[in-house]
Structures are given as C-alpha cells and as structure tokens.
Amino acid sequence: MLKPLNVTQVYRACPEDAFDFEVTSELESLDMLSGHARARDALDFGTSMRSEGFNLYVLGHPGHGKHQLVGRFLAERSHDEPMPPDVAYRYNFEEPSQPLHLLLPTGMGRVLRADIEQLVEELRTAIPAVFEGDEYQNRLHELKQAMGERQRDAVEGVRREAREHDILLLSTPNGFTFAPAATNDKMMSPEEFEQLPRDERERIEGTVQVLQKKLSQAIRQMPRLAKQLREQITALNQEMLQTAIDAPLAELEERYADHDGILNHLTALRDAMVLHVDAFVAEEPDIPPEAIFSRFHINLIVDNTNCDGAPVVYLDLPTHQHLVGRIEHHVHNGTLVTDYSLIRAGGLHRANGGYLVVDVRALLMHAGAWETLKRVLRAGEIRTESLEQAYGLISTTTLEPEPVPLDLKVVLLGERLFYYLLCENDPDFLELFKVQADLEDELDRNHGNQPLYARMVATLARESALRPLDRSGVAAVIERASRLADDQTKLTARHRALSDLLEEADHWAERDGAQVISRAHVDKAVEQQLWRASRIHERSHEAIARGTVAIQLEGSVIGQVNGLSVMSLGDYAFGQPTRITATARPGPGHVVDIEREARLGGRIHSKAVMILSRCLASRYAPDAPLSLSASLAFEQSYGGIEGDSASVAEACVLISAIARVGIEQRFAVTGSIDQHGRVQAVGGVNEKIEGFFDICQSRGGVKGHGVLLPATNVEQLMLKQAVRDAVASGDFHIYAIETLDEALELLTGMPPGERDDEGHYPAESLNGKVVERLEAFHRAVKKRAASDENSAHENATDKSKNGSKIEDVNGDKEGDPESEEPDDGH
C-alpha cells in the first residue's frame, strides 16, 4: 500500500529566516523585468534596432501589467535619446488646400509661434500708421493732382484749338459738346448759325468733326491715365508697406537664418502682404486685413519642449483619427469650413521620434485602425486624413496636409493568442513587427530568487505608497505567489495579482492600526478575496451537502467513484466532486461515453475515453477480442464535460463494474491515464483537493477520507491551512499514484496482481477477477453467437424445405393434363 503524503509535501512554506531584513523599506527597488531575461533582451534589441520593420510585440497574460513594465523600460531607454523636433503646419499661399509642415528644433515651435503673434500685433499698428501718415497722404495727393492735371491738359488742348477756330468746347451733364462761338465769346444760337454763309457753316462743321476726333482721342487716354494712376498708387502703397514691414521681418529673418522652412514662410508672408496691399488701404477691401494676418500664424500640433529625451506615448483609444490626427471643421453661414489651423495631431505625431505603445486588442476593435497603422509604417510618413477620405467614401473638398516623415518604434501589447492569430492571418504582420518580447508567466522559486522576489514585493509596495512588509508578510506573499502559480517550485510573474494583494493587505493593516504589513494581514487579504468571489462556490457545495446533488462519501459501491472537477468563473476557480458511474455487460467491445452521445462531452474527454478503452483491451484481452459492452456517465452533470483528468477515475469505476468489486466512496480520484496504464498529471489539483475536503467537512468530517492524484502533481500542491492541519493530524489522506494498479489497490483494498510468466493474473487478485469476468463475457458472447447461428441455420433450412414443397405442388399441377382447364373455344 502507498503511504499518504506528509504535510511538508502538500505545502512549501517560506521560512522567515531566509531573509536578512526586518522590513521591506530597507530593500532597494528592483527592476520589474528581472526574471524576464528573454523579454528584456528582446526589448533591448527591438528598441536599438533602427532598420525598418523591427517594431515590437510584447506577449503576455493580462495580469502581467505589461503597460507598467514596458512603460518603465521605455522611459529609462528614451531618457538618453535625442528629443524629436516640434511639428507645425503653415499656410500654403500657393495651394491653400495643401498646408505645409514645419519641422522645428525642440522648443522652437512655441518661440516661433510667439514671434509671429508679436509680428502680427506690430503690423496691425505699424501698417495703418504708415498709410495714415502725412508723407503717404502728401505723395498720394501729388500723384492724384499730377494725374488730374494731365487729364485737364488733354481736354484743354482741344479746347484751345477749338477756340482758335471760333468754336467752344462745352461741358454738359452728358459729356462734352462743340458749339460755334458768337462775337461776345458766347455760344451762337441756332438762328444765328443758320444766318451764316453756307461756306462758313461748312467750315465750322468740318472743324467740329476734326475736333471731335481729337477730343475722343483725349478721352480715350483717360482710362490709361487712370490705370497709370492706380499703378502709381499701388507702387506707392507697396513702397510704404515695405517701410512698415521691412524692419520686423528683417529681424525675424536674421533670427531664423539657419532654418529654411521658417525663412520660406517669412518670405511668403512678405509676398502675401505686398500682393494684397489694397486690403490695408481700401475702405471695403475684398479681403480684410485680419484674414491676411490669420494666415501668418503657425499651427503648432506637436510641442516637445517638456520632453525628457524621446517621447513615450501610450494610446489608450487607438482609433484611426487618434493615430494619424484629424481635420476639424466649423460652421460658417450654414456650411462646414476648415483651414490649416484646424489640423490636430494624432498619437503618431506625438510619438514621432520615440515610441508609440498600443494595446493590440483595442487596436483591432476599432474599424480601420489596424490597416491605418500598417499603411503608415509601410509608407514611412503620417498622412492626416479622415477614414472616409482615405477609403474614398466622400468627394467633398477638404485639406490635404503635407505628410510628416515618420521615425518611431511601435510597441504592441497583447496576449499570445492575438500574436499567433495575426501571424497566421495577416501576411504583413511579421514584416512590420519582427521582434516578439515574450514575458514569463512564472519564475523559479529557489534560494537565489526568493530574496529578489522580496525586493520585487518591496518595489511594488513602494510604488503604490503602501506600508512596508515585515519578513512574515513577505513570506506569506511568496507562499501565495506559489499558489497562484500552482507550483511549489515556481512563483507567479503576474504583477497585477501581487499589487492587488498588497493593496488589500495594506488596507487591513490600516484597519488594525499597524505600521507594517505582516502575515496576518496578507492572509486576511487572501481570505477576503476568496470570500468575495465564492458565492456560487458555496451554493454548489450546499447542493451537495443537502443531498440535492448526490455524492456518496461512505461505504463501498460497485461501479461508482468520486471524480474531481474544477469550475472556473472569471479569475476564481473551485473544485467539487462528481459521481461517475459505469455499467458492464457482454458485448462487442464498445465503451459508450454517454456524455459524448448526449453531445455534452468535449473532444479531449472523448479522446480520453478512447484511450481508456484501448488501455483496458490491451491490459485484459491482449490476444482475444474484448467482449464488453460498457457505459460511462457523469451523474447529475448538466453542462459540458471537457478534459482528460477523470480518465483514471473512469478506468477504476469501469474495472469495478466488470469485476463486481466495490470502490471506497471515502476517496476521490483525479488523473489522466495513457494506453499503458500510467497516470499522468492534470491541472487544478489544489482546487480539486480543497473542494473534496470542504464537502467531506460539511457532511460530517474528513476523518478517513482522502484524495488520489498523480505523483507528477505533488510539486504543484500548495493547499490551504485547514487541509494541511487535517493532513498533519492524519485525518485526511492524499496519495500520489503513478499507475492504474496503485489507484485500484487504494480504492478497492484488493491487491491488483501481476502477470506471471505465462501472462496470467492470480485468481484472487483484482486483475484476475477482471480477466475471469471478461472471459465469462466472451463465453456468453460466443454462446449467443452460436445460438444465433443455429437459429439462423434452422430458419434457412425451414425456408428451403418449404420452398421445395411449393415447387413440387406447382410442378404436379403444371404437369397433370387433367388439371388443365378445357379450351371452350373462346
């Protein structure tokens, strides 16, 4: 018989004397990536590799706290890296729908913006002052006066010539007209003109025609002269405007002489003001001065003044617009309008020159975001446009800002499932994300790692501003970390669970008025965590305790065993026993899995039953057919059954049904079996043992009860205190089994027996009874088959005889001429 495990085998305590500190405040902080050597090397490589496509994907469980781990690493890495330039957009005077970008040295963006704002304020005062000054007004008056004199001279020349020919040039409301002059220099009346000699009248009329042509020529010169006046005025305006803007612009051009983009913008400002000089002079200009001044400003979309090294940007809502930015609109006269000042930066703009951190689940959830990110990385530039514009879903006029060159590393955070799905289904993924940083789920628990883990606990407490832990508190946290890892030799590497535990322990320490967190506070936090999540656990166990769900814990029953299962609800799991039954009778060698037939069994469970049936066949009928018809069922199970952890229990209960040997109901069994009868490891052993323990305790006590589990699972045992106390007192037993025979011996109390040299089991052994029973089944099947064959032969003979008689009668009838009916001629 196997001996039960002792209390040191079912729980690995952490001795407090393993630590050389009193409280964790004495310990130095630890790099939280310690223990994740593979992931750290990948992060180091990916961030230093500047070739295209070497972006990173950080794989890990959601409980790792990937954002904090990666954020801390990138903050340290980016601290010594150069700060990226500021990014601004400026008005494109040649093509207003295509704003131009400015890449400015770090911090220069806000300085340039302030300088241009000051320039605009100065020009608002200086330009009107110039055009309202005496110099401008006098020169303008001189130009107008000179032009007026030229216009008058042209008309007066015609007037003088007409006077020489006794003809007057008169001004009328409708223009100019010619009339003959009288002796008193007055206009001759029509009567007087008619009394003149005919030759005189003809002379006057001819002269008037000549004068009219000359007058027309003089008048036609008027628009040209007006144009010359406008050109002169424009030239004057431009000259005066230059005097107003030269000094402030020259100052800025000198200040930014080393930056071509700024100089180009200042040159464009000068040309725009000169081109639209009338806007500063006319009373009602087509373009008001403010509209011109508004084009001078820069739209600073990224200001890296406060950056300490390269930027690290975490984008928590990675939509298309939040990645590449957006172009806003405002309503003007009922119409949506926009301009370069309404361009807004996206996460890629802010992270340009540094690192963009994105959660891959959030990225894949938003329409178009994943394709947008890939397109940007492939193009190497950030093109700000709406999703509708990118896919050609709208045709309205909008802005097309000049793309910004891209130089950054994208770090995706996600679960392993998403990584492998993207590898499988997206051919671009591995071209763009060539570096995987795979975080460890568990760390080794050894004498070297426990002090480091204590420093990690101290670091978590310090970062969350919690009370320090004493040695007992650290020991309790390490023991809990092993339980979370389900392994005595491992410690969980998922920081979120530890952070939550420390914060709750700090809460209970505050309730007690303690200055440090001790074991009692950690145990209290664990107890409360389990209590808050255990409502369904208690209801399920209550149904068993009340007998609603039938679980037998005493006596010996043929064809019935207590299996163990685990139910997972969110991040909480609990175990509970399940009654497994079996029947056996002579048959064609089939083991019917009722769960599978009812479509409640999963594929892994179905595979386990097939392995079990082949194991029994090779074990008990290696040279003959297995004449067995058996069935297996999980009683009162109304949900799906999955996994192979019940296959040892199923094998035992099936053998019990075949041999008609009872199974002790005070035991529960878990474990997987292979085709050779070896017991294999399963999951959730802690929850399974504790679940059976709780049921026994609620049904009258645990004394004499126990659990059978695979020997390979012993190192995973980290059982709660109540179970350990019962094990220590000898009331509750836990057995580690390696073979099916060991399980059968414990459950039935009978020696399983071993084959002799001739391949026979001892007659009084359990295996001998199974073989004897199966041979009886085989004889019964053969007898039934022979009986069925005889019956079939007799039936065939009877049919043959009956068929002969019929043939004879028919033959006689056909052969007897007297039996033939006479032909009556009809």
Side-chain angles (χ1 to χ4, degrees):
M1 274 293 197
L2 289 176
K3 291 184 179 180
L5 302 177
N6 58 49
V7 69
T8 61
Q9 292 176 291
V10 301
Y11 190 83
R12 181 181 176 185
C14 180
E16 297 178 17
D17 56 9
F19 306 117
D20 57 358
F21 61 88
E22 293 299 326
V23 292
T24 55
S25 56
E26 303 172 11
L27 301 176
E28 295 181 358
S29 295
L30 181 71
D31 180 7
M32 300 304 289
L33 279 173
S34 296
H36 301 276
R38 183 181 292 103
R40 170 174 275 285
D41 289 346
L43 287 169
D44 183 70
F45 168 75
T47 52
S48 59
M49 186 70 174
R50 306 314 301 177
S51 300
E52 292 184 3
F54 284 85
N55 297 291
L56 298 98
Y57 188 113
V58 181
L59 300 81
H61 189 274
H64 274 115
K66 294 185 289 294
H67 181 205
Q68 290 77 12
L69 286 175
V70 174
R72 190 178 293 110
F73 175 86
L74 294 179
E76 295 175 358
R77 171 55 61 90
S78 64
H79 178 73
D80 299 325
E81 295 183 357
M83 292 185 290
D86 296 341
V87 181
Y89 272 101
R90 66 183 180 93
Y91 186 79
N92 187 347
F93 290 94
E94 295 181 359
E95 188 59 55
S97 64
Q98 298 177 2
L100 303 174
H101 67 66
L102 282 173
L103 300 181
L104 308 170
T106 307
M108 185 177 286
R110 62 171 58 182
V111 175
L112 176 62
R113 182 175 60 186
D115 286 344
I116 291 181
E117 289 175 355
Q118 183 178 357
L119 171 67
V120 170
E121 290 299 323
E122 185 176 349
L123 294 179
R124 282 197 182 104
T125 304
I127 292 176
V130 166
F131 288 110
E132 293 172 3
D134 293 338
E135 179 183 359
Y136 173 74
Q137 295 297 331
N138 291 335
R139 293 183 62 181
L140 180 62
H141 177 71
E142 290 175 359
L143 288 176
K144 290 181 178 179
Q145 185 175 11
M147 186 57 62
E149 290 177 355
R150 291 183 62 184
Q151 291 176 347
R152 286 195 299 274
D153 288 346
V155 176
E156 287 300 322
V158 177
R159 188 189 302 275
R160 287 193 296 272
E161 184 178 355
R163 190 68 186 86
E164 292 176 356
H165 293 86
D166 297 329
I167 297 174
L168 299 177
L169 176 62
L170 303 176
S171 298
T172 66
N174 296 325
F176 293 98
T177 185
F178 289 97
T183 55
N184 55 359
D185 291 335
K186 292 184 179 180
M187 182 180 68
M188 183 179 297
S189 64
E191 293 80 5
E192 293 177 339
F193 180 75
E194 290 296 332
Q195 293 177 3
L196 291 176
R198 181 176 179 182
D199 294 342
E200 183 65 16
R201 289 199 309 270
E202 291 178 353
R203 180 190 67 80
I204 292 173
E205 290 176 353
T207 302
V208 167
Q209 289 180 355
V210 173
L211 291 174
Q212 283 180 341
K213 291 181 180 179
K214 292 184 178 181
L215 178 63
S216 297
Q217 292 177 355
I219 291 175
R220 280 198 296 270
Q221 292 180 3
M222 297 298 177
R224 181 174 58 82
L225 294 176
K227 180 181 178 182
Q228 292 178 358
L229 177 62
R230 288 195 300 272
E231 292 174 350
Q232 292 173 354
I233 293 175
T234 300
L236 173 63
N237 292 341
Q238 292 176 350
E239 178 185 349
M240 300 304 295
L241 181 65
Q242 291 283 7
T243 61
I245 66 177
D246 273 346
L249 282 176
E251 180 183 353
L252 291 182
E253 288 170 349
E254 181 179 358
R255 185 178 305 170
Y256 297 103
D258 297 333
H259 305 285
D260 294 338
I262 300 177
L263 292 179
N264 292 336
H265 184 54
L266 294 177
T267 301
L269 302 187
R270 182 191 298 272
D271 294 342
M273 285 187 288
V274 172
L275 181 64
H276 298 94
V277 64
D278 292 342
F280 304 102
V281 181
E283 295 183 358
E284 296 183 358
D286 296 334
I287 302 177
E290 286 304 320
I292 297 176
F293 287 143
S294 66
R295 300 170 182 175
F296 293 4
H297 299 281
I298 64 169
N299 179 12
L300 184 61
I301 64 173
V302 178
D303 182 5
N304 289 314
T305 304
N306 298 323
C307 282
D308 184 14
V312 178
V313 176
Y314 174 69
L315 195 60
D316 58 350
L317 187 62
T319 63
H320 169 85
Q321 287 190 338
H322 289 169
L323 282 169
V324 299
R326 64 189 186 279
I327 302 173
E328 296 180 346
H329 295 73
H330 62 81
V331 178
H332 179 70
N333 294 333
T335 304
L336 288 175
V337 296
T338 186
D339 58 52
Y340 78 102
S341 66
L342 297 177
I343 300 173
R344 300 292 178 258
L348 289 166
H349 293 99
R350 295 192 299 273
N352 204 6
Y355 305 93
L356 177 67
V357 184
V358 183
D359 184 86
V360 70
R361 179 188 292 269
L363 184 67
L364 295 174
M365 286 177 61
H366 293 95
W370 173 244
E371 292 298 326
T372 295
L373 179 61
K374 291 195 301 179
R375 186 169 63 252
V376 168
L377 292 177
R378 284 195 300 265
E381 60 184 20
I382 311 169
R383 185 178 298 277
T384 302
E385 57 187 355
S386 67
L387 195 60
E388 297 84 0
Q389 185 180 359
Y391 287 97
L393 301 179
I394 60 173
S395 58
T396 56
T397 302
T398 184
L399 298 182
E400 296 180 8
E402 183 182 11
V404 176
L406 181 71
D407 179 22
L408 56 66
K409 288 286 184 181
V410 177
V411 182
L412 296 182
L413 309 178
E415 301 172 38
R416 294 180 178 88
L417 175 63
F418 288 113
Y419 179 83
Y420 298 121
L421 286 175
L422 287 170
C423 289
E424 182 70 21
N425 297 292
D426 192 333
D428 300 326
F429 176 67
L430 290 178
E431 291 296 322
L432 298 174
F433 294 89
K434 298 181 179 180
V435 183
Q436 58 169 312
D438 199 348
L439 296 170
E440 299 289 346
D441 288 334
E442 298 165 351
L443 307 176
D444 291 333
R445 179 181 175 184
N446 51 44
H447 294 296
N449 272 356
Q450 285 190 162
L452 292 176
Y453 209 79
R455 286 179 59 193
M456 186 185 74
V457 172
T459 304
L460 291 173
R462 187 174 294 122
E463 290 180 349
S464 300
L466 306 178
R467 290 169 174 77
L469 289 81
D470 62 14
R471 290 189 290 182
S472 68
V474 173
V477 171
I478 288 178
E479 292 169 9
R480 181 60 180 170
S482 280
R483 173 58 189 265
L484 292 174
D486 283 326
D487 199 320
Q488 295 178 1
T489 64
K490 298 291 183 181
L491 296 167
T492 183
R494 300 174 184 176
H495 298 155
R496 189 174 68 187
L498 293 179
S499 297
D500 294 345
L501 178 62
L502 292 176
E503 290 181 2
E504 293 191 35
D506 181 75
H507 169 78
W508 296 114
E510 181 181 7
R511 284 281 189 93
D512 290 346
Q515 297 300 316
V516 296
I517 300 172
S518 64
R519 176 180 288 274
H521 304 127
V522 176
D523 291 343
K524 178 72 172 179
V526 173
E527 177 187 345
Q528 287 297 310
Q529 285 179 345
L530 299 177
W531 162 254
R532 292 194 298 270
S534 62
R535 187 187 67 83
I536 296 179
H537 176 190
E538 291 183 358
R539 298 289 84 78
S540 177
H541 282 192
E542 180 183 356
I544 297 175
R546 296 175 61 183
T548 305
V549 176
I551 297 293
Q552 191 167 340
L553 300 177
E554 302 293 341
S556 177
V557 180
I558 296 173
Q560 178 174 296
V561 71
N562 290 322
L564 294 174
S565 61
V566 174
M567 296 185 66
S568 296
L569 303 170
D571 59 352
Y572 179 77
F574 64 93
Q576 67 178 19
T578 302
R579 185 162 52 100
I580 304 174
T581 60
T583 62
R585 57 185 294 273
H590 294 160
V591 177
V592 177
D593 179 8
I594 293 179
E595 306 302 325
R596 179 185 179 186
E597 296 299 322
R599 297 185 179 179
L600 293 176
R603 290 178 294 179
I604 298 176
H605 178 261
S606 299
K607 175 185 175 182
V609 173
M610 294 177 189
I611 291 174
L612 162 65
S613 64
R614 294 303 91 197
C615 174
L616 294 181
S618 63
R619 182 184 180 93
Y620 297 116
D623 302 320
L626 181 64
S627 302
L628 172 68
S629 176
S631 62
L632 290 168
F634 285 72
E635 303 294 348
Q636 292 184 287
S637 171
Y638 307 107
I641 300 294
E642 182 60 302
D644 61 353
S645 64
S647 57
V648 171
E650 291 172 323
C652 292
V653 73
L654 191 54
I655 291 173
S656 168
I658 296 171
R660 293 182 178 176
V661 174
I663 290 179
E664 289 289 342
Q665 301 299 296
R666 56 193 177 91
F667 289 119
V669 190
T670 185
S672 169
I673 194 173
D674 68 7
Q675 293 191 94
H676 300 289
R678 293 184 292 256
V679 177
Q680 304 167 136
V682 293
V685 288
N686 290 294
E687 289 81 5
K688 291 175 180 179
I689 294 172
E690 291 171 354
F692 187 68
F693 177 88
D694 292 341
I695 292 297
C696 294
Q697 199 171 44
S698 65
R699 292 273 294 269
V702 300
K703 191 173 182 61
H705 294 79
V707 171
L708 283 63
L709 81 160
T712 48
N713 281 122
V714 172
E715 285 191 340
Q716 298 176 353
L717 294 179
M718 289 292 293
L719 298 172
K720 64 182 182 180
Q721 186 65 49
V723 181
R724 303 202 302 270
D725 293 341
V727 169
S729 63
D731 292 337
F732 192 74
H733 307 291
I734 300 174
Y735 296 94
I737 57 175
E738 295 182 357
T739 65
L740 178 59
D741 284 342
E742 292 176 345
L744 291 170
E745 185 173 9
L746 287 167
L747 292 174
T748 64
M750 293 182 63
E754 296 182 2
R755 292 180 183 271
D756 57 20
D757 295 339
E758 297 180 358
H760 302 298
Y761 288 107
E764 297 303 321
S765 67
L766 178 61
N767 288 330
K769 290 182 175 294
V770 173
V771 172
E772 180 184 356
R773 181 80 167 149
L774 290 175
E775 288 177 351
F777 286 174
H778 185 60
R779 290 193 297 271
V781 170
K782 288 183 65 176
K783 183 178 179 181
R784 178 62 182 269
S787 176
D788 291 344
E789 185 178 353
N790 292 334
S791 298
H793 180 69
E794 292 176 358
N795 290 335
T797 302
D798 292 342
K799 289 180 180 179
S800 176
K801 292 179 178 180
N802 292 334
S804 299
K805 291 179 180 179
I806 293 172
E807 289 176 0
D808 292 343
V809 170
N810 291 339
D812 292 344
K813 183 176 181 180
E814 292 174 358
D816 186 1
E818 295 181 358
S819 64
E820 295 181 0
E821 297 181 358
D823 186 2
D824 57 2
H826 295 285

